[in-house]
Amino acid sequence: MTSLDFLHSAGLGLATGLALIVAIGAQNAFVLRQGIRGEHIVPIVAVCALSDAVLIAAGVLGTGALITAAPAAVVVLRYVGAAFLVAYGLMAARRAMRPQSLMAGEGEGGRRGKGGAAAAVTTVLALTWLNPHVYLDIALLGSLASAQGSPLQWWFGAGAMVGSILWFCSLGFGARFLRGFFARPLSWRFLDGGIAVTMVALGLGLILGA
């Protein structure tokens, strides 16, 4: 086993992690919106990256096999997550109807503070951990990691974790470059309208078992 083997496993984990994370979804839409607004980006990105690290480590340890063996738990998560996504989507639709209250750099209702940070962190935690698809992704990552053999599976997992960190940092901190465009209320109408459609569609997809 050479250093190239370790680098290959880490690179494969990085590519696989990015392939699973870089997609239009509830979590990414929320991080993007918060990044454009410049609100609580550090805790949100940290929560996303740490949550992914925990989930990836669990997959490497074989928890993914336990998840696939407990379909009832996935069903419960599906309906709880669907309800949350639909509710959040309706909230986004309501915001889209009132874009003048969504100027970049302003908090909800023009307020910032510990309450806003706590609410944002709670929301991103729910979007991450109540999504049943994430557990299916972890089961997939776990199976791919185990195929690498010991100790290469941990290099695979480390690569996936690095991919997660790179993505959420790019999404959260890079979104500030879009603030000029989103200085106009109409831009926020389109963004929140798109988020509303995405969230409700994902929620209905979960309910229908898609």
Side-chain angles (χ1 to χ4, degrees):
M1 190 174 297
T2 67
S3 58
L4 289 178
D5 294 320
F6 293 108
L7 291 175
H8 177 266
S9 293
L12 182 60
L14 174 65
T16 304
L18 286 173
L20 294 175
I21 295 170
V22 180
I24 298 175
Q27 185 190 50
N28 286 339
F30 180 77
V31 175
L32 175 63
R33 187 175 189 277
Q34 293 298 113
I36 293 171
R37 293 168 66 92
E39 289 185 351
H40 320 301
I41 304 306
V42 172
I44 288 174
V45 169
V47 166
C48 289
L50 287 173
S51 293
D52 270 13
V54 171
L55 289 166
I56 291 169
V60 174
L61 287 170
T63 306
L66 296 178
I67 294 171
T68 56
V74 176
V75 170
V76 172
L77 281 171
R78 174 186 299 167
Y79 287 104
V80 172
F84 180 83
L85 288 173
V86 171
Y88 190 89
L90 294 177
M91 290 171 58
R94 182 184 177 186
R95 289 196 302 265
M97 300 300 294
R98 299 183 300 163
Q100 68 277 6
S101 66
L102 295 172
M103 298 301 290
E106 294 180 357
E108 291 292 340
R111 294 175 295 180
R112 288 175 177 264
K114 294 182 179 179
V121 169
T122 299
T123 299
V124 78
L125 281 171
L127 290 173
T128 300
W129 292 88
L130 291 181
N131 179 11
H133 289 165
V134 74
Y135 299 100
L136 299 178
D137 290 343
I138 292 310
L140 173 60
L141 277 173
S143 63
L144 292 175
S146 63
Q148 302 297 306
S150 179
L152 293 179
Q153 75 266 29
W154 287 109
W155 285 80
F156 179 93
M161 292 178 191
V162 169
S164 173
I165 294 171
L166 291 175
W167 170 248
F168 286 117
C169 285
S170 299
L171 187 63
F173 296 108
R176 64 189 179 88
F177 295 108
L178 298 175
R179 287 179 190 170
F181 177 74
F182 284 96
R184 297 174 295 175
L186 182 61
S187 300
W188 282 106
R189 184 186 294 275
F190 282 115
L191 176 64
D192 275 316
I195 289 175
V197 171
T198 299
M199 297 289 189
V200 173
L202 289 172
L204 293 178
L206 290 177
I207 292 174
L208 297 174

